[in-house]
Amino acid sequence: ERMVSKKFAAILEPKKKTGVIKTIIKTLREGSKTKSMLLDILEAEFPERERTAMLKTLNAQLGFGIKEARIEREQKITLQTERIAKDVFFSIA
């Protein structure tokens, strides 16, 4: 049996998919989005997860644009919110 170098072994292993929260952060860095836009993106990215569960994650992490969001405290980012009519747009400053 032949030994495989660590670098080559890392190439052979399948890449791990990023998590829901990392995907939210990456998407918000690209531009401002509403929760429904984020939910659609998450649904496309994670088809194996339930839509309602991801909505609960969004509500818990982003809050409702009123006070400091959980994602700000835990991930050390600054979240900007902008209300346009009934929609709340989130982005990372």
Coordinates of all heavy atoms in Angstrom, one line a residue:
E1 N 0.8 -1.2 0.0 CA 0.0 0.0 0.0 C 0.9 1.3 0.0 O 1.8 1.4 0.8 CB -0.9 0.0 1.3 CG -1.9 1.0 1.2 CD -2.9 0.8 2.4 OE1 -3.3 -0.3 2.7 OE2 -3.2 1.9 3.0
R2 N 0.6 2.2 -0.8 CA 1.4 3.4 -1.0 C 0.9 4.5 -0.1 O -0.3 4.7 0.0 CB 1.4 3.8 -2.5 CG 2.3 4.8 -2.8 CD 2.4 5.0 -4.3 NE 3.3 6.2 -4.5 CZ 3.5 6.7 -5.7 NH1 2.9 6.2 -6.7 NH2 4.2 7.7 -5.8
M3 N 1.8 5.3 0.5 CA 1.4 6.4 1.3 C 1.1 7.6 0.4 O 1.7 7.8 -0.7 CB 2.6 6.8 2.2 CG 2.9 5.8 3.2 SD 1.7 5.5 4.4 CE 1.8 7.0 5.3
V4 N 0.1 8.4 0.7 CA -0.3 9.5 0.0 C 0.0 10.8 0.8 O -0.2 10.8 2.0 CB -1.8 9.5 -0.3 CG1 -2.3 10.7 -1.0 CG2 -2.2 8.2 -1.1
S5 N 0.6 11.8 0.1 CA 1.0 13.0 0.8 C -0.2 13.7 1.4 O -1.3 13.5 0.8 CB 1.8 13.9 -0.1 OG 1.0 14.5 -1.0
K6 N -0.1 14.5 2.4 CA -1.2 15.2 3.0 C -1.8 16.2 2.0 O -3.0 16.4 2.0 CB -0.7 16.0 4.2 CG -0.4 15.1 5.4 CD 0.0 15.9 6.6 CE 0.4 15.0 7.8 NZ 0.8 15.7 8.9
K7 N -1.0 16.9 1.2 CA -1.5 17.8 0.2 C -2.4 17.1 -0.8 O -3.5 17.6 -1.1 CB -0.4 18.6 -0.5 CG 0.3 19.6 0.4 CD 1.4 20.3 -0.4 CE 2.1 21.3 0.5 NZ 3.2 22.0 -0.3
F8 N -1.9 16.0 -1.3 CA -2.7 15.2 -2.3 C -4.0 14.6 -1.6 O -5.0 14.6 -2.3 CB -1.8 14.1 -2.9 CG -2.5 13.5 -4.1 CD1 -2.7 14.2 -5.3 CD2 -3.0 12.2 -4.0 CE1 -3.3 13.6 -6.3 CE2 -3.6 11.6 -5.1 CZ -3.7 12.3 -6.2
A9 N -3.9 14.2 -0.4 CA -5.0 13.6 0.3 C -6.1 14.7 0.5 O -7.3 14.4 0.4 CB -4.6 13.1 1.6
A10 N -5.7 15.9 0.7 CA -6.6 17.0 0.9 C -7.4 17.3 -0.4 O -8.5 17.7 -0.4 CB -5.9 18.3 1.4
I11 N -6.7 17.1 -1.5 CA -7.3 17.3 -2.8 C -8.4 16.2 -3.1 O -9.4 16.5 -3.7 CB -6.3 17.4 -3.9 CG1 -5.4 18.6 -3.8 CG2 -6.9 17.4 -5.3 CD1 -4.2 18.6 -4.7
L12 N -8.0 15.0 -2.7 CA -8.9 13.9 -2.9 C -10.2 13.9 -2.1 O -11.2 13.4 -2.5 CB -8.2 12.6 -2.7 CG -7.1 12.2 -3.6 CD1 -6.4 10.9 -3.2 CD2 -7.6 12.1 -5.0
E13 N -10.1 14.5 -0.9 CA -11.3 14.6 0.0 C -12.3 15.6 -0.6 O -11.9 16.6 -1.1 CB -10.9 15.0 1.4 CG -10.1 14.0 2.1 CD -9.6 14.5 3.5 OE1 -10.1 15.6 3.9 OE2 -8.8 13.9 4.1
P14 N -13.6 15.2 -0.5 CA -14.6 16.2 -1.0 C -14.6 17.4 -0.1 O -14.4 17.3 1.1 CB -15.9 15.4 -0.8 CG -15.6 14.3 0.1 CD -14.2 14.0 0.0
K15 N -14.8 18.5 -0.7 CA -14.9 19.8 0.0 C -16.1 19.9 0.9 O -17.2 19.4 0.5 CB -14.9 21.0 -1.0 CG -13.7 21.1 -1.8 CD -12.5 21.7 -1.0 CE -11.3 21.8 -1.8 NZ -10.1 22.1 -1.1
K16 N -16.0 20.4 2.1 CA -17.1 20.5 3.0 C -17.9 21.8 2.6 O -17.3 22.8 2.2 CB -16.6 20.7 4.4 CG -16.1 19.4 5.0 CD -15.7 19.6 6.4 CE -15.1 18.3 7.0 NZ -14.7 18.4 8.4
K17 N -19.2 21.6 2.6 CA -20.1 22.7 2.2 C -20.1 23.8 3.4 O -20.0 23.4 4.5 CB -21.5 22.2 2.0 CG -22.3 23.0 1.1 CD -23.6 22.2 0.8 CE -24.3 22.9 -0.3 NZ -25.6 22.2 -0.6
T18 N -20.2 25.0 3.0 CA -20.3 26.0 4.1 C -21.6 26.0 4.7 O -22.6 25.5 4.2 CB -20.1 27.5 3.5 OG1 -21.1 27.7 2.5 CG2 -18.7 27.6 2.9
G19 N -21.7 26.5 6.0 CA -22.9 26.4 6.7 C -23.9 27.5 6.4 O -23.6 28.4 5.6
V20 N -25.1 27.5 7.0 CA -26.1 28.4 6.7 C -25.7 29.8 7.1 O -25.8 30.8 6.3 CB -27.4 28.0 7.4 CG1 -28.5 29.1 7.3 CG2 -28.0 26.7 6.9
I21 N -25.1 30.0 8.2 CA -24.7 31.3 8.7 C -23.6 31.9 7.9 O -23.6 33.1 7.5 CB -24.4 31.3 10.2 CG1 -25.6 31.0 11.0 CG2 -23.8 32.7 10.7 CD1 -25.5 30.8 12.5
K22 N -22.6 31.1 7.5 CA -21.6 31.6 6.6 C -22.1 32.0 5.3 O -21.6 33.0 4.6 CB -20.5 30.5 6.5 CG -19.7 30.2 7.7 CD -18.9 31.4 8.1 CE -18.1 31.0 9.4 NZ -17.4 32.1 10.0
T23 N -23.1 31.3 4.8 CA -23.7 31.6 3.5 C -24.5 32.9 3.6 O -24.4 33.7 2.7 CB -24.7 30.5 3.0 OG1 -23.9 29.2 3.0 CG2 -25.3 30.7 1.7
I24 N -25.1 33.1 4.7 CA -25.9 34.4 4.9 C -24.9 35.6 4.9 O -25.1 36.6 4.2 CB -26.6 34.4 6.3 CG1 -27.8 33.4 6.2 CG2 -27.1 35.8 6.6 CD1 -28.4 33.1 7.6
I25 N -23.7 35.4 5.6 CA -22.7 36.5 5.7 C -22.2 36.7 4.3 O -22.0 37.9 3.9 CB -21.6 36.1 6.7 CG1 -22.2 36.1 8.1 CG2 -20.4 37.1 6.6 CD1 -21.3 35.6 9.2
K26 N -21.8 35.7 3.6 CA -21.3 35.8 2.2 C -22.2 36.5 1.3 O -21.9 37.4 0.6 CB -20.9 34.4 1.7 CG -20.2 34.5 0.3 CD -20.0 33.1 -0.3 CE -21.3 32.8 -1.0 NZ -21.3 31.6 -1.8
T27 N -23.5 36.2 1.4 CA -24.5 36.8 0.5 C -24.7 38.3 0.9 O -24.9 39.1 0.0 CB -25.9 36.1 0.7 OG1 -25.6 34.7 0.4 CG2 -26.9 36.6 -0.2
L28 N -24.7 38.6 2.2 CA -24.9 40.0 2.6 C -23.7 40.9 2.3 O -23.8 42.1 2.1 CB -25.2 40.1 4.1 CG -26.6 39.6 4.5 CD1 -26.7 39.6 6.0 CD2 -27.7 40.3 3.8
R29 N -22.5 40.3 2.2 CA -21.3 41.0 1.7 C -21.5 41.4 0.3 O -20.9 42.4 -0.2 CB -20.1 40.2 2.0 CG -19.7 40.1 3.4 CD -18.3 39.6 3.5 NE -18.0 39.1 4.9 CZ -17.6 40.0 5.9 NH1 -17.6 41.2 5.7 NH2 -17.4 39.5 7.1
E30 N -22.2 40.6 -0.5 CA -22.4 40.9 -1.9 C -23.3 42.1 -2.2 O -23.3 42.8 -3.2 CB -22.9 39.7 -2.7 CG -21.9 38.6 -2.7 CD -22.5 37.3 -3.2 OE1 -23.7 37.2 -3.5 OE2 -21.7 36.3 -3.2
G31 N -24.2 42.3 -1.2 CA -25.2 43.4 -1.4 C -26.4 43.2 -0.5 O -26.5 42.2 0.2
S32 N -27.2 44.3 -0.4 CA -28.3 44.2 0.6 C -29.4 43.3 0.0 O -29.7 43.2 -1.2 CB -28.9 45.6 0.8 OG -29.5 46.1 -0.3
K33 N -30.0 42.6 1.0 CA -31.1 41.6 0.7 C -32.1 41.6 1.7 O -31.9 42.0 2.9 CB -30.5 40.2 0.6 CG -29.3 40.0 -0.3 CD -29.8 39.6 -1.7 CE -28.6 39.2 -2.6 NZ -27.8 40.2 -3.1
T34 N -33.4 41.3 1.4 CA -34.4 41.1 2.4 C -34.4 39.6 2.9 O -33.7 38.8 2.3 CB -35.8 41.3 1.7 OG1 -36.0 40.4 0.7 CG2 -35.9 42.7 1.2
K35 N -35.1 39.4 3.9 CA -35.2 38.0 4.4 C -35.7 37.0 3.4 O -35.2 35.9 3.3 CB -36.0 37.9 5.7 CG -35.3 38.4 6.9 CD -36.1 38.2 8.2 CE -35.5 38.9 9.4 NZ -36.3 38.7 10.5
S36 N -36.7 37.4 2.7 CA -37.3 36.5 1.7 C -36.3 36.2 0.6 O -36.2 35.1 0.1 CB -38.6 37.1 1.1 OG -38.3 38.3 0.4
M37 N -35.4 37.2 0.2 CA -34.4 37.0 -0.8 C -33.4 36.0 -0.3 O -32.9 35.1 -0.9 CB -33.7 38.3 -1.2 CG -34.5 39.3 -1.9 SD -33.6 40.9 -2.0 CE -34.2 41.5 -3.5
L38 N -33.0 36.2 1.0 CA -32.0 35.4 1.6 C -32.5 33.9 1.8 O -31.8 33.0 1.6 CB -31.6 35.9 3.0 CG -30.7 37.1 3.1 CD1 -30.6 37.7 4.5 CD2 -29.3 36.7 2.6
L39 N -33.8 33.8 2.1 CA -34.5 32.5 2.2 C -34.4 31.8 0.9 O -34.2 30.6 0.9 CB -35.9 32.7 2.8 CG -36.6 31.4 3.2 CD1 -35.8 30.7 4.2 CD2 -38.0 31.8 3.6
D40 N -34.7 32.5 -0.2 CA -34.7 31.8 -1.5 C -33.3 31.3 -1.9 O -33.1 30.3 -2.4 CB -35.2 32.8 -2.6 CG -36.7 33.1 -2.5 OD1 -37.4 32.3 -1.8 OD2 -37.1 34.1 -3.0
I41 N -32.3 32.2 -1.5 CA -30.9 31.8 -1.8 C -30.5 30.5 -0.9 O -29.9 29.6 -1.4 CB -29.9 33.0 -1.5 CG1 -30.1 34.0 -2.5 CG2 -28.5 32.5 -1.5 CD1 -29.5 35.4 -2.2
L42 N -30.9 30.6 0.3 CA -30.6 29.4 1.2 C -31.3 28.2 0.8 O -30.7 27.1 0.9 CB -31.0 29.8 2.7 CG -30.1 30.8 3.4 CD1 -30.7 31.1 4.8 CD2 -28.7 30.3 3.5
E43 N -32.5 28.3 0.3 CA -33.3 27.2 -0.2 C -32.6 26.5 -1.4 O -32.5 25.3 -1.5 CB -34.7 27.6 -0.5 CG -35.6 26.4 -0.8 CD -37.0 26.9 -1.0 OE1 -37.3 28.0 -1.5 OE2 -37.9 26.1 -0.6
A44 N -32.0 27.3 -2.3 CA -31.3 26.8 -3.4 C -30.0 26.2 -3.0 O -29.6 25.2 -3.6 CB -31.1 27.9 -4.4
E45 N -29.3 26.8 -2.0 CA -28.0 26.3 -1.6 C -28.1 25.0 -0.7 O -27.3 24.2 -0.8 CB -27.3 27.4 -0.8 CG -25.9 27.2 -0.5 CD -25.0 27.4 -1.6 OE1 -25.4 28.1 -2.6 OE2 -23.9 26.8 -1.6
F46 N -29.2 24.9 0.1 CA -29.4 23.8 1.0 C -30.8 23.1 0.7 O -31.7 23.3 1.5 CB -29.3 24.3 2.4 CG -28.0 24.9 2.8 CD1 -27.9 26.3 2.8 CD2 -26.9 24.2 3.1 CE1 -26.7 26.9 3.1 CE2 -25.7 24.8 3.5 CZ -25.6 26.1 3.5
P47 N -30.9 22.4 -0.4 CA -32.2 21.8 -0.7 C -32.6 20.7 0.3 O -33.8 20.4 0.4 CB -32.0 21.2 -2.1 CG -30.5 21.0 -2.2 CD -29.9 22.1 -1.4
E48 N -31.7 20.2 1.0 CA -32.0 19.1 2.0 C -32.6 19.7 3.3 O -33.2 18.9 4.1 CB -30.8 18.3 2.3 CG -29.7 19.0 3.2 CD -28.8 19.9 2.4 OE1 -28.9 20.1 1.1 OE2 -27.9 20.5 3.0
R49 N -32.6 21.0 3.5 CA -33.1 21.6 4.7 C -34.5 22.1 4.5 O -34.9 22.5 3.4 CB -32.2 22.7 5.2 CG -30.9 22.2 5.6 CD -30.0 23.3 6.2 NE -28.7 22.8 6.4 CZ -28.1 23.0 7.6 NH1 -28.6 23.7 8.5 NH2 -26.8 22.6 7.7
E50 N -35.3 22.2 5.5 CA -36.7 22.7 5.4 C -36.7 24.2 5.4 O -35.9 24.8 6.1 CB -37.5 22.2 6.6 CG -37.8 20.7 6.6 CD -38.8 20.4 7.7 OE1 -39.6 21.2 8.1 OE2 -38.6 19.3 8.3
R51 N -37.6 24.7 4.6 CA -37.7 26.2 4.4 C -38.0 26.9 5.7 O -37.5 27.9 6.1 CB -38.7 26.5 3.3 CG -38.8 28.0 3.0 CD -39.8 28.2 1.8 NE -40.0 29.6 1.6 CZ -39.3 30.3 0.7 NH1 -38.3 29.8 0.0 NH2 -39.6 31.6 0.5
T52 N -39.0 26.3 6.5 CA -39.4 26.9 7.7 C -38.3 26.9 8.8 O -38.1 27.9 9.5 CB -40.6 26.2 8.3 OG1 -40.3 24.8 8.5 CG2 -41.8 26.3 7.5
A53 N -37.4 25.9 8.8 CA -36.3 25.9 9.7 C -35.3 27.0 9.4 O -34.7 27.6 10.3 CB -35.6 24.5 9.7
M54 N -35.1 27.2 8.1 CA -34.1 28.2 7.7 C -34.7 29.6 8.0 O -33.9 30.5 8.3 CB -33.7 28.1 6.2 CG -32.8 26.9 6.0 SD -32.1 26.7 4.3 CE -33.6 26.3 3.4
L55 N -36.0 29.8 7.9 CA -36.6 31.0 8.2 C -36.5 31.3 9.7 O -36.2 32.5 10.1 CB -38.1 31.0 7.8 CG -38.9 32.3 8.1 CD1 -38.3 33.5 7.4 CD2 -40.3 32.2 7.8
K56 N -36.6 30.3 10.5 CA -36.4 30.5 12.0 C -34.9 30.9 12.2 O -34.7 31.7 13.1 CB -36.7 29.2 12.7 CG -38.2 28.9 12.8 CD -38.4 27.6 13.5 CE -39.9 27.3 13.5 NZ -40.2 26.1 14.3
T57 N -34.0 30.3 11.5 CA -32.6 30.7 11.6 C -32.4 32.1 11.3 O -31.7 32.9 11.9 CB -31.7 29.8 10.8 OG1 -31.8 28.4 11.2 CG2 -30.2 30.2 10.9
L58 N -33.0 32.6 10.1 CA -32.9 34.0 9.7 C -33.4 34.9 10.8 O -32.8 35.9 11.1 CB -33.6 34.2 8.4 CG -32.8 33.7 7.1 CD1 -33.7 33.8 5.9 CD2 -31.6 34.6 6.9
N59 N -34.6 34.6 11.3 CA -35.2 35.4 12.3 C -34.4 35.5 13.6 O -34.2 36.6 14.1 CB -36.6 34.9 12.6 CG -37.6 35.2 11.5 OD1 -37.5 36.2 10.8 ND2 -38.7 34.4 11.5
A60 N -33.8 34.4 13.9 CA -33.0 34.4 15.2 C -31.7 35.2 14.9 O -31.2 35.9 15.8 CB -32.6 32.9 15.6
Q61 N -31.1 35.0 13.8 CA -29.8 35.7 13.5 C -29.9 37.1 13.2 O -29.1 37.9 13.6 CB -29.0 34.9 12.4 CG -28.6 33.5 12.8 CD -27.5 33.5 13.8 OE1 -26.7 34.4 13.9 NE2 -27.6 32.5 14.7
L62 N -30.9 37.5 12.3 CA -31.0 38.9 11.9 C -31.9 39.7 12.7 O -31.8 40.9 12.6 CB -31.5 38.9 10.4 CG -30.6 38.2 9.4 CD1 -31.2 38.3 8.0 CD2 -29.2 38.8 9.4
G63 N -32.8 39.1 13.5 CA -33.8 39.8 14.2 C -34.7 40.5 13.3 O -35.0 40.0 12.2
F64 N -35.2 41.6 13.7 CA -36.2 42.3 12.8 C -35.8 43.7 12.5 O -36.6 44.6 12.2 CB -37.6 42.3 13.5 CG -38.1 40.9 13.6 CD1 -37.9 40.2 14.8 CD2 -38.7 40.3 12.6 CE1 -38.4 38.9 14.9 CE2 -39.2 39.0 12.7 CZ -39.0 38.3 13.9
G65 N -34.5 44.0 12.6 CA -33.9 45.3 12.2 C -34.2 46.4 13.3 O -34.1 47.6 13.0
I66 N -34.5 46.0 14.5 CA -34.9 46.9 15.5 C -33.7 47.1 16.5 O -33.3 48.3 16.8 CB -36.1 46.4 16.4 CG1 -37.3 46.3 15.4 CG2 -36.4 47.4 17.5 CD1 -38.4 45.6 16.0
K67 N -33.1 46.1 16.9 CA -31.9 46.2 17.8 C -30.8 45.4 17.3 O -30.8 44.8 16.2 CB -32.3 45.7 19.2 CG -32.8 44.3 19.3 CD -33.2 43.9 20.6 CE -33.7 42.4 20.6 NZ -33.9 41.9 21.9
E68 N -29.7 45.3 18.1 CA -28.5 44.5 17.6 C -28.9 43.1 17.4 O -29.5 42.4 18.2 CB -27.4 44.6 18.7 CG -26.2 43.9 18.3 CD -25.1 43.8 19.4 OE1 -25.5 43.5 20.5 OE2 -23.9 44.1 19.1
A69 N -28.5 42.6 16.2 CA -28.8 41.2 15.8 C -27.8 40.2 16.4 O -26.6 40.6 16.7 CB -28.8 41.1 14.3
R70 N -28.2 39.0 16.6 CA -27.4 38.0 17.2 C -26.1 37.7 16.3 O -25.0 37.5 16.8 CB -28.2 36.7 17.3 CG -27.5 35.5 17.8 CD -28.5 34.4 17.6 NE -28.2 33.3 18.5 CZ -28.9 32.2 18.5 NH1 -30.0 32.0 17.7 NH2 -28.6 31.2 19.3
I71 N -26.3 37.8 15.0 CA -25.2 37.6 14.1 C -24.1 38.6 14.2 O -22.9 38.3 14.0 CB -25.7 37.5 12.6 CG1 -24.7 36.8 11.7 CG2 -26.1 38.8 12.1 CD1 -25.3 36.4 10.4
E72 N -24.5 39.8 14.6 CA -23.5 40.9 14.9 C -22.6 40.5 16.1 O -21.4 40.7 16.1 CB -24.2 42.2 15.1 CG -24.8 42.8 13.9 CD -25.5 44.1 14.2 OE1 -26.6 44.1 14.9 OE2 -25.0 45.1 13.8
R73 N -23.3 40.1 17.2 CA -22.5 39.7 18.4 C -21.6 38.5 18.2 O -20.5 38.5 18.5 CB -23.5 39.4 19.5 CG -24.2 40.6 20.1 CD -24.9 40.3 21.4 NE -25.7 39.1 21.3 CZ -27.0 39.0 21.0 NH1 -27.6 40.1 20.7 NH2 -27.6 37.9 20.9
E74 N -22.2 37.5 17.6 CA -21.4 36.2 17.5 C -20.4 36.2 16.4 O -19.3 35.6 16.5 CB -22.4 35.1 17.3 CG -23.3 34.8 18.5 CD -24.3 33.7 18.2 OE1 -24.4 33.2 17.1 OE2 -25.1 33.4 19.2
Q75 N -20.6 36.9 15.3 CA -19.7 36.9 14.1 C -18.9 38.1 14.1 O -18.1 38.3 13.1 CB -20.5 36.7 12.8 CG -21.3 35.4 12.8 CD -20.5 34.2 12.8 OE1 -19.4 34.1 12.3 NE2 -21.0 33.1 13.5
K76 N -19.1 39.1 15.0 CA -18.3 40.3 15.0 C -18.4 41.1 13.7 O -17.4 41.5 13.1 CB -16.8 40.0 15.3 CG -16.6 39.2 16.6 CD -16.7 40.0 17.8 CE -16.2 39.2 19.0 NZ -17.2 38.6 19.8
I77 N -19.6 41.3 13.2 CA -19.8 42.1 12.0 C -20.8 43.2 12.3 O -21.5 43.2 13.4 CB -20.4 41.2 10.8 CG1 -21.7 40.6 11.2 CG2 -19.4 40.2 10.4 CD1 -22.4 39.8 10.1
T78 N -20.9 44.2 11.5 CA -21.8 45.3 11.6 C -22.9 45.2 10.5 O -22.6 45.2 9.4 CB -21.1 46.7 11.5 OG1 -20.1 46.7 12.5 CG2 -22.1 47.8 11.8
L79 N -24.1 45.0 11.0 CA -25.2 44.8 10.1 C -25.9 46.2 9.9 O -26.2 46.9 10.9 CB -26.2 43.8 10.7 CG -27.2 43.1 9.8 CD1 -26.5 42.3 8.8 CD2 -28.1 42.2 10.6
Q80 N -26.2 46.5 8.7 CA -27.0 47.7 8.4 C -28.4 47.3 7.9 O -28.6 46.3 7.2 CB -26.4 48.5 7.3 CG -25.1 49.2 7.6 CD -24.5 50.0 6.5 OE1 -24.7 49.7 5.3 NE2 -23.8 51.1 6.8
T81 N -29.4 48.0 8.4 CA -30.8 47.8 8.0 C -31.3 49.0 7.4 O -31.0 50.1 7.8 CB -31.6 47.4 9.2 OG1 -31.6 48.4 10.2 CG2 -31.2 46.1 9.8
E82 N -32.2 48.8 6.4 CA -32.8 49.9 5.7 C -34.3 49.5 5.4 O -34.5 48.5 4.8 CB -32.1 50.2 4.4 CG -32.7 51.4 3.6 CD -32.0 51.7 2.3 OE1 -31.0 51.0 2.0 OE2 -32.4 52.6 1.6
R83 N -35.2 50.3 5.9 CA -36.6 50.0 5.6 C -37.1 50.8 4.4 O -36.9 52.0 4.3 CB -37.5 50.5 6.8 CG -37.3 49.6 8.0 CD -38.4 50.0 9.1 NE -38.2 49.2 10.3 CZ -38.7 48.0 10.4 NH1 -39.4 47.4 9.5 NH2 -38.4 47.3 11.5
I84 N -37.7 50.0 3.5 CA -38.3 50.6 2.3 C -39.7 50.0 2.2 O -39.9 48.8 2.0 CB -37.5 50.3 1.0 CG1 -36.1 50.8 1.1 CG2 -38.2 50.8 -0.2 CD1 -35.2 50.5 0.0
A85 N -40.7 50.9 2.5 CA -42.1 50.4 2.6 C -42.2 49.4 3.7 O -41.8 49.6 4.9 CB -42.6 50.0 1.3
K86 N -42.7 48.2 3.4 CA -42.8 47.1 4.4 C -41.5 46.2 4.5 O -41.4 45.5 5.4 CB -44.0 46.2 4.1 CG -45.3 46.9 4.3 CD -46.4 45.9 4.1 CE -47.8 46.6 4.3 NZ -48.9 45.6 4.1
D87 N -40.7 46.4 3.5 CA -39.5 45.5 3.4 C -38.3 46.1 4.2 O -38.1 47.3 4.2 CB -39.0 45.3 2.0 CG -40.1 44.6 1.1 OD1 -40.7 43.7 1.7 OD2 -40.2 44.9 0.0
V88 N -37.6 45.2 4.9 CA -36.3 45.5 5.6 C -35.2 44.9 4.8 O -35.1 43.7 4.7 CB -36.4 45.0 7.0 CG1 -35.1 45.4 7.7 CG2 -37.6 45.6 7.8
F89 N -34.3 45.7 4.4 CA -33.1 45.2 3.7 C -31.9 45.2 4.6 O -31.7 46.1 5.4 CB -32.8 46.2 2.5 CG -33.7 46.0 1.3 CD1 -34.9 46.7 1.3 CD2 -33.4 45.2 0.3 CE1 -35.8 46.5 0.2 CE2 -34.2 45.1 -0.8 CZ -35.4 45.7 -0.8
F90 N -31.2 44.1 4.6 CA -30.0 43.9 5.4 C -28.8 43.9 4.6 O -28.8 43.3 3.5 CB -30.1 42.5 6.2 CG -31.3 42.4 7.1 CD1 -32.5 42.0 6.7 CD2 -31.1 42.9 8.4 CE1 -33.6 41.9 7.6 CE2 -32.2 42.8 9.3 CZ -33.4 42.3 8.9
S91 N -27.7 44.4 5.1 CA -26.4 44.4 4.4 C -25.3 44.5 5.5 O -25.6 44.9 6.6 CB -26.2 45.5 3.4 OG -26.3 46.7 4.0
I92 N -24.1 44.1 5.1 CA -23.0 44.2 6.0 C -22.2 45.5 5.7 O -21.8 45.7 4.5 CB -22.1 43.0 6.0 CG1 -22.9 41.8 6.5 CG2 -20.8 43.2 6.7 CD1 -22.1 40.5 6.4
A93 N -21.9 46.3 6.7 CA -21.2 47.5 6.5 C -19.7 47.3 6.3 O -19.2 46.4 6.7 CB -21.4 48.4 7.7

